[in-house]
């Protein structure tokens, strides 16, 4: 089996996309059929630095595809045998105004665009800085 790919960053801050319509962070709409953004938000908002990017991306995939808990290990191995989009493509950072900080252990937390914490992380020279992917090409 090929070496698993990862979406995890360490000591990195993913800044809100340049073309995001959000002027301040928004909670993704909580619909009956939860969106990827809502699922990611629900996992991260009250659990900062508890999960890695891989944990969140796989959990959302598993929930969306009704993967049984007993099958998680093999399903996760297969899921990450192919490259997956990282949190730079998360709607939280692209659309809803949330920055994503990865600590030294790859655990992540989200910070609202308008917060003092976001501004502090955005200026932190000890971190790698990347922007969330743009929604539009150009």
């Amino acid at each position: 089996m090929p070496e698993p790919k990862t979406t995890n960053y360490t000591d990195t801050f993913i800044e809100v996309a340049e073309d995001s319509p959000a002027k301040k962070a928004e909670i993704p709409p909580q619909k009956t059929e939860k969106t990827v953004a809502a699922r990611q938000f629900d996992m991260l908002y009250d659990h900062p630095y508890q999960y890695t990017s891989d944990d969140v991306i796989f959990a959302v995939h598993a929930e969306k595809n009704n993967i049984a808990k007993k099958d998680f290990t093999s399903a996760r191995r297969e899921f990450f045998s192919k490259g997956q989009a990282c949190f730079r493509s998360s709607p939280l950072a692209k659309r809803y105004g949330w920055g994503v900080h990865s600590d030294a252990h790859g655990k992540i937390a989200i910070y609202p665009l308008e917060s003092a914490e976001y501004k502090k992380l955005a200026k932190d020279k000890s971190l790698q800085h990347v922007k969330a992917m743009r929604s539009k090409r150009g």
Side-chain angles (χ1 to χ4, degrees), residues 59-121:
V60 168
H61 167 77
E63 189 178 332
K64 240 171 60 175
N65 292 283
N66 298 312
I67 297 172
K69 285 231 188 284
K70 68 179 180 55
D71 298 326
F72 270 26
T73 303
S74 61
R76 184 173 169 135
R77 194 176 315 112
E78 181 168 332
F79 182 72
F80 285 112
S81 70
K82 299 184 264 326
Q84 299 297 330
C86 70
F87 251 83
R88 288 185 60 219
S89 66
S90 167
L92 294 178
K94 284 177 66 171
R95 160 69 186 87
Y96 292 104
W98 295 89
V100 183
H101 176 241
S102 299
D103 70 10
H105 306 287
K107 304 283 184 161
I108 61 176
I110 54 175
Y111 291 93
L113 178 61
E114 69 279 9
S115 69
E117 293 91 347
Y118 182 100
K119 289 172 181 65
K120 184 177 163 203
L121 287 163

Coordinates of all heavy atoms in Angstrom, one line a residue, residues 59-121:
A59 N -13.2 12.8 9.1 CA -14.4 12.7 9.8 C -15.6 13.3 9.0 O -16.7 12.7 8.9 CB -14.3 13.5 11.1
V60 N -15.4 14.4 8.3 CA -16.5 15.0 7.4 C -16.8 14.0 6.3 O -17.9 13.7 6.0 CB -16.0 16.4 6.9 CG1 -17.0 16.8 5.8 CG2 -16.0 17.4 8.1
H61 N -15.7 13.5 5.7 CA -15.9 12.5 4.6 C -16.7 11.2 5.1 O -17.6 10.8 4.5 CB -14.5 12.1 4.0 CG -14.6 10.8 3.2 ND1 -15.0 10.9 1.9 CD2 -14.2 9.6 3.4 CE1 -14.9 9.7 1.4 NE2 -14.4 8.8 2.3
A62 N -16.3 10.7 6.3 CA -16.9 9.5 6.8 C -18.4 9.8 7.2 O -19.2 9.0 6.9 CB -16.2 9.1 8.1
E63 N -18.7 11.0 7.7 CA -20.1 11.3 8.1 C -20.9 11.4 6.8 O -22.0 10.9 6.8 CB -20.1 12.6 8.9 CG -21.4 12.9 9.5 CD -21.4 14.2 10.3 OE1 -20.3 14.5 10.9 OE2 -22.5 14.8 10.4
K64 N -20.4 12.1 5.8 CA -21.1 12.4 4.6 C -21.4 11.0 3.9 O -22.4 10.9 3.2 CB -20.3 13.3 3.7 CG -21.0 14.5 3.3 CD -20.1 15.5 2.6 CE -19.5 15.0 1.3 NZ -18.8 16.0 0.6
N65 N -20.5 10.1 4.0 CA -20.6 8.8 3.3 C -21.0 7.7 4.1 O -20.9 6.5 3.7 CB -19.2 8.5 2.6 CG -18.9 9.5 1.5 OD1 -19.5 9.4 0.4 ND2 -18.1 10.5 1.8
N66 N -21.5 8.0 5.3 CA -22.1 7.0 6.3 C -21.1 5.8 6.5 O -21.5 4.6 6.5 CB -23.4 6.4 5.8 CG -24.4 7.6 5.7 OD1 -24.6 8.3 6.7 ND2 -25.1 7.7 4.6
I67 N -19.8 6.1 6.7 CA -18.9 5.0 7.0 C -19.0 4.7 8.5 O -18.9 5.5 9.4 CB -17.4 5.5 6.7 CG1 -17.3 5.8 5.2 CG2 -16.4 4.5 7.1 CD1 -16.0 6.5 4.7
A68 N -19.1 3.4 8.7 CA -19.3 2.9 10.1 C -18.0 3.0 10.9 O -16.9 2.9 10.3 CB -19.7 1.4 10.1
K69 N -18.1 3.3 12.2 CA -16.9 3.5 13.0 C -16.0 2.4 12.9 O -14.7 2.5 12.9 CB -17.3 3.8 14.5 CG -17.9 5.2 14.7 CD -17.2 5.8 15.9 CE -17.8 7.1 16.3 NZ -17.5 8.2 15.5
K70 N -16.5 1.1 12.9 CA -15.7 -0.1 12.9 C -14.8 -0.1 11.6 O -13.8 -0.8 11.6 CB -16.5 -1.3 13.0 CG -17.4 -1.6 11.8 CD -18.2 -2.9 12.0 CE -19.1 -3.3 10.9 NZ -18.5 -3.4 9.6
D71 N -15.2 0.6 10.5 CA -14.5 0.6 9.3 C -13.5 1.8 9.1 O -12.9 2.0 8.1 CB -15.4 0.6 8.1 CG -16.3 -0.7 8.1 OD1 -15.8 -1.7 8.5 OD2 -17.5 -0.5 7.7
F72 N -13.5 2.7 10.2 CA -12.7 3.9 10.1 C -11.2 3.7 9.7 O -10.7 4.4 8.9 CB -12.8 4.7 11.4 CG -13.9 5.7 11.4 CD1 -15.1 5.5 10.6 CD2 -13.9 6.8 12.2 CE1 -16.1 6.4 10.7 CE2 -14.9 7.7 12.3 CZ -16.0 7.5 11.5
T73 N -10.6 2.7 10.3 CA -9.1 2.6 10.1 C -8.8 2.2 8.7 O -8.0 2.9 8.0 CB -8.5 1.5 11.1 OG1 -8.9 1.8 12.4 CG2 -7.0 1.3 10.9
S74 N -9.5 1.2 8.1 CA -9.2 0.9 6.7 C -9.7 2.0 5.8 O -9.0 2.3 4.8 CB -9.8 -0.5 6.4 OG -11.2 -0.4 6.5
A75 N -10.9 2.6 6.1 CA -11.4 3.6 5.2 C -10.5 4.8 5.2 O -10.3 5.5 4.1 CB -12.8 4.0 5.6
R76 N -10.0 5.2 6.4 CA -9.1 6.3 6.5 C -7.8 6.1 5.7 O -7.3 6.9 5.0 CB -8.8 6.7 7.9 CG -7.9 7.9 8.1 CD -7.8 8.3 9.6 NE -6.8 9.3 9.7 CZ -6.9 10.3 10.5 NH1 -8.0 10.5 11.2 NH2 -5.9 11.2 10.6
R77 N -7.2 4.8 5.8 CA -6.0 4.5 5.1 C -6.2 4.6 3.6 O -5.4 5.2 2.9 CB -5.6 3.1 5.4 CG -4.2 2.7 5.0 CD -3.7 1.3 5.5 NE -4.0 1.0 6.8 CZ -4.9 0.0 7.2 NH1 -5.5 -0.7 6.3 NH2 -5.1 -0.2 8.5
E78 N -7.4 4.1 3.1 CA -7.7 4.2 1.7 C -7.9 5.6 1.3 O -7.5 6.1 0.2 CB -8.9 3.4 1.3 CG -9.2 3.4 -0.1 CD -10.3 2.4 -0.6 OE1 -10.4 1.3 0.0 OE2 -11.0 2.7 -1.6
F79 N -8.7 6.4 2.1 CA -9.0 7.8 1.8 C -7.7 8.6 1.6 O -7.5 9.4 0.6 CB -9.8 8.4 2.9 CG -10.2 9.8 2.7 CD1 -11.2 10.2 1.8 CD2 -9.7 10.8 3.5 CE1 -11.6 11.5 1.6 CE2 -10.1 12.2 3.3 CZ -11.0 12.5 2.4
F80 N -6.7 8.4 2.4 CA -5.4 9.2 2.4 C -4.4 8.5 1.5 O -3.3 9.0 1.4 CB -4.9 9.5 3.8 CG -5.7 10.6 4.5 CD1 -6.4 10.3 5.6 CD2 -5.7 11.9 4.0 CE1 -7.2 11.3 6.2 CE2 -6.4 12.9 4.6 CZ -7.1 12.6 5.7
S81 N -4.7 7.4 0.8 CA -3.8 6.8 -0.1 C -3.7 7.7 -1.4 O -2.8 7.6 -2.2 CB -4.2 5.4 -0.5 OG -5.4 5.4 -1.3
K82 N -4.8 8.5 -1.6 CA -4.8 9.5 -2.6 C -4.7 10.9 -2.0 O -5.1 11.1 -0.9 CB -6.1 9.4 -3.4 CG -6.4 8.1 -4.1 CD -7.6 8.1 -5.0 CE -8.9 7.6 -4.3 NZ -8.9 6.5 -3.4
G83 N -4.1 11.8 -2.7 CA -4.0 13.2 -2.2 C -5.4 13.8 -1.9 O -6.3 13.5 -2.7
Q84 N -5.6 14.5 -0.9 CA -6.9 15.2 -0.5 C -6.6 16.7 -0.4 O -5.5 17.1 -0.1 CB -7.4 14.6 0.8 CG -7.7 13.2 0.8 CD -8.8 12.8 -0.2 OE1 -9.7 13.5 -0.5 NE2 -8.7 11.6 -0.8
A85 N -7.7 17.5 -0.7 CA -7.6 18.9 -0.5 C -7.3 19.3 0.9 O -8.0 18.7 1.8 CB -8.8 19.6 -1.0
C86 N -6.4 20.2 1.1 CA -6.1 20.6 2.5 C -7.1 21.7 3.0 O -8.0 22.1 2.2 CB -4.7 21.1 2.6 SG -4.3 22.6 1.8
F87 N -6.8 22.2 4.2 CA -7.7 23.3 4.7 C -7.6 24.6 4.0 O -8.4 25.5 4.2 CB -7.4 23.5 6.2 CG -8.6 22.9 7.0 CD1 -8.7 21.6 7.3 CD2 -9.6 23.7 7.5 CE1 -9.7 21.1 8.1 CE2 -10.7 23.2 8.2 CZ -10.7 21.9 8.5
R88 N -6.6 24.8 3.1 CA -6.6 26.0 2.2 C -7.9 26.0 1.4 O -8.3 27.1 0.9 CB -5.4 26.0 1.4 CG -4.1 26.3 2.2 CD -2.9 26.5 1.3 NE -3.1 27.6 0.4 CZ -2.8 27.6 -0.9 NH1 -2.1 26.5 -1.4 NH2 -3.0 28.6 -1.7
S89 N -8.5 24.9 1.1 CA -9.7 24.8 0.3 C -11.0 24.7 1.1 O -12.1 24.6 0.6 CB -9.6 23.7 -0.7 OG -9.7 22.5 0.0
S90 N -10.8 24.8 2.4 CA -12.0 24.8 3.3 C -12.9 26.0 3.1 O -12.4 27.1 3.0 CB -11.6 24.7 4.8 OG -12.7 25.0 5.6
P91 N -14.2 25.8 3.0 CA -15.1 26.9 2.9 C -15.0 27.8 4.1 O -15.3 29.0 4.1 CB -16.5 26.3 2.8 CG -16.3 24.8 3.1 CD -14.9 24.5 3.0
L92 N -14.5 27.3 5.3 CA -14.4 28.2 6.5 C -13.4 29.3 6.1 O -13.7 30.5 6.5 CB -13.9 27.4 7.7 CG -14.9 26.4 8.2 CD1 -14.2 25.6 9.4 CD2 -16.2 27.0 8.7
A93 N -12.3 29.0 5.5 CA -11.3 30.0 5.2 C -11.6 30.7 3.8 O -11.2 31.9 3.6 CB -9.9 29.4 5.1
K94 N -12.2 30.0 2.9 CA -12.5 30.6 1.6 C -13.7 31.6 1.6 O -13.7 32.6 1.0 CB -12.8 29.5 0.6 CG -11.5 28.8 0.1 CD -11.8 27.7 -0.9 CE -12.4 28.2 -2.2 NZ -12.5 27.1 -3.2
R95 N -14.7 31.2 2.3 CA -16.0 31.9 2.2 C -16.5 32.5 3.6 O -17.1 33.6 3.6 CB -17.1 30.9 1.8 CG -18.5 31.2 2.0 CD -19.0 32.4 1.2 NE -20.3 32.8 1.5 CZ -20.7 33.7 2.5 NH1 -19.7 34.2 3.2 NH2 -21.9 34.1 2.6
Y96 N -16.2 31.9 4.7 CA -16.9 32.3 5.9 C -16.0 33.1 6.9 O -16.4 33.5 8.0 CB -17.4 31.1 6.7 CG -18.6 30.5 5.9 CD1 -18.5 29.3 5.2 CD2 -19.8 31.1 5.9 CE1 -19.5 28.8 4.5 CE2 -20.9 30.6 5.2 CZ -20.7 29.4 4.5 OH -21.8 28.9 3.8
G97 N -14.8 33.5 6.5 CA -14.0 34.4 7.3 C -13.3 33.8 8.5 O -13.0 34.5 9.5
W98 N -12.9 32.6 8.5 CA -12.1 31.9 9.6 C -10.7 31.6 9.2 O -10.5 31.0 8.1 CB -12.8 30.6 10.0 CG -14.2 30.9 10.5 CD1 -15.4 30.9 9.8 CD2 -14.6 31.1 11.9 NE1 -16.4 31.2 10.7 CE2 -16.0 31.3 11.9 CE3 -13.8 31.2 13.1 CZ2 -16.6 31.6 13.1 CZ3 -14.5 31.5 14.2 CH2 -15.9 31.7 14.3
G99 N -9.7 32.1 10.0 CA -8.4 31.7 9.8 C -8.1 30.3 10.5 O -8.8 30.0 11.5
V100 N -7.2 29.5 10.0 CA -6.9 28.2 10.6 C -5.5 28.2 11.0 O -4.6 28.3 10.2 CB -7.2 27.1 9.5 CG1 -7.0 25.7 10.1 CG2 -8.6 27.2 8.9
H101 N -5.3 28.0 12.3 CA -3.9 27.9 12.8 C -3.6 26.4 13.1 O -4.4 25.7 13.8 CB -3.8 28.7 14.1 CG -2.4 28.5 14.8 ND1 -2.3 28.0 16.0 CD2 -1.2 28.8 14.3 CE1 -1.0 28.0 16.3 NE2 -0.3 28.4 15.3
S102 N -2.4 26.0 12.6 CA -1.9 24.6 12.9 C -0.7 24.8 13.9 O 0.2 25.5 13.6 CB -1.4 23.9 11.7 OG -2.4 23.8 10.7
D103 N -0.8 24.1 15.0 CA 0.3 24.2 16.0 C 1.5 23.3 15.7 O 1.5 22.7 14.6 CB -0.2 24.0 17.4 CG -0.6 22.6 17.7 OD1 -0.3 21.6 16.9 OD2 -1.2 22.3 18.8
A104 N 2.5 23.2 16.5 CA 3.7 22.4 16.3 C 3.4 20.9 16.1 O 4.1 20.2 15.5 CB 4.7 22.6 17.4
H105 N 2.2 20.5 16.6 CA 1.8 19.1 16.6 C 0.8 18.8 15.4 O 0.3 17.7 15.3 CB 1.2 18.6 17.9 CG 2.1 18.9 19.1 ND1 3.3 18.2 19.3 CD2 2.1 19.8 20.0 CE1 3.9 18.7 20.4 NE2 3.2 19.7 20.8
G106 N 0.5 19.9 14.6 CA -0.4 19.7 13.5 C -1.9 19.8 14.0 O -2.8 19.5 13.2
K107 N -2.2 20.1 15.2 CA -3.5 20.3 15.7 C -4.0 21.7 15.3 O -3.2 22.6 15.3 CB -3.6 20.1 17.2 CG -3.1 18.8 17.8 CD -4.0 17.7 17.5 CE -3.4 16.4 18.2 NZ -4.4 15.4 18.4
I108 N -5.3 21.8 14.9 CA -5.8 23.0 14.4 C -6.9 23.7 15.2 O -7.6 23.0 16.0 CB -6.3 22.9 12.9 CG1 -7.4 21.9 12.8 CG2 -5.1 22.4 12.0 CD1 -8.0 21.7 11.4
A109 N -7.0 25.0 15.0 CA -8.0 25.8 15.7 C -8.4 26.9 14.7 O -7.6 27.3 13.8 CB -7.5 26.4 17.0
I110 N -9.7 27.4 14.8 CA -10.1 28.4 13.9 C -10.3 29.7 14.6 O -10.6 29.7 15.8 CB -11.4 28.0 13.2 CG1 -12.5 27.6 14.1 CG2 -11.2 26.9 12.1 CD1 -13.9 27.4 13.5
Y111 N -10.0 30.8 13.9 CA -10.1 32.2 14.5 C -10.8 33.1 13.6 O -10.6 33.1 12.4 CB -8.7 32.7 14.8 CG -8.0 31.9 15.9 CD1 -7.1 30.9 15.6 CD2 -8.2 32.3 17.2 CE1 -6.5 30.1 16.6 CE2 -7.5 31.5 18.2 CZ -6.7 30.5 17.9 OH -6.1 29.8 18.9
P112 N -11.8 33.9 14.2 CA -12.6 34.8 13.3 C -11.7 35.9 12.8 O -10.8 36.4 13.5 CB -13.7 35.3 14.3 CG -13.3 34.9 15.7 CD -12.2 33.9 15.6
L113 N -11.9 36.3 11.6 CA -11.2 37.3 10.9 C -11.0 38.6 11.6 O -10.0 39.2 11.6 CB -11.9 37.6 9.5 CG -11.3 38.6 8.6 CD1 -9.9 38.3 8.2 CD2 -12.2 38.8 7.3
E114 N -12.1 39.0 12.3 CA -12.1 40.3 13.0 C -11.4 40.2 14.4 O -11.3 41.3 15.1 CB -13.5 40.8 13.1 CG -14.4 40.1 14.1 CD -15.0 38.8 13.5 OE1 -14.6 38.4 12.4 OE2 -15.9 38.2 14.2
S115 N -11.0 39.1 14.9 CA -10.5 38.9 16.3 C -9.1 39.4 16.4 O -8.3 39.4 15.5 CB -10.6 37.5 16.7 OG -9.7 36.6 16.0
A116 N -8.8 39.7 17.7 CA -7.4 40.1 18.0 C -6.4 38.9 17.8 O -5.3 39.0 17.4 CB -7.3 40.5 19.5
E117 N -6.9 37.7 18.1 CA -6.1 36.5 17.9 C -5.8 36.3 16.4 O -4.6 35.9 16.1 CB -6.9 35.2 18.4 CG -7.1 35.2 19.9 CD -8.4 35.8 20.3 OE1 -9.1 36.5 19.5 OE2 -8.8 35.6 21.5
Y118 N -6.7 36.5 15.5 CA -6.5 36.4 14.1 C -5.4 37.4 13.7 O -4.4 37.0 13.0 CB -7.7 36.6 13.3 CG -7.5 36.5 11.8 CD1 -7.9 35.3 11.1 CD2 -6.9 37.5 11.0 CE1 -7.7 35.2 9.7 CE2 -6.7 37.4 9.7 CZ -7.1 36.2 9.0 OH -6.9 36.1 7.7
K119 N -5.5 38.6 14.1 CA -4.5 39.7 13.8 C -3.2 39.3 14.3 O -2.1 39.5 13.6 CB -5.0 41.0 14.3 CG -6.2 41.6 13.5 CD -6.8 42.8 14.2 CE -8.0 43.4 13.5 NZ -9.2 42.5 13.5
K120 N -3.1 38.8 15.5 CA -1.8 38.4 16.1 C -1.2 37.2 15.3 O 0.0 37.3 15.0 CB -2.1 38.0 17.6 CG -0.8 37.6 18.3 CD -1.2 37.3 19.8 CE 0.0 36.6 20.4 NZ -0.4 35.8 21.6
L121 N -2.0 36.2 15.0 CA -1.4 35.1 14.2 C -1.0 35.5 12.8 O 0.0 35.1 12.3 CB -2.5 34.0 14.1 CG -2.7 33.2 15.4 CD1 -4.0 32.4 15.3 CD2 -1.6 32.3 15.7

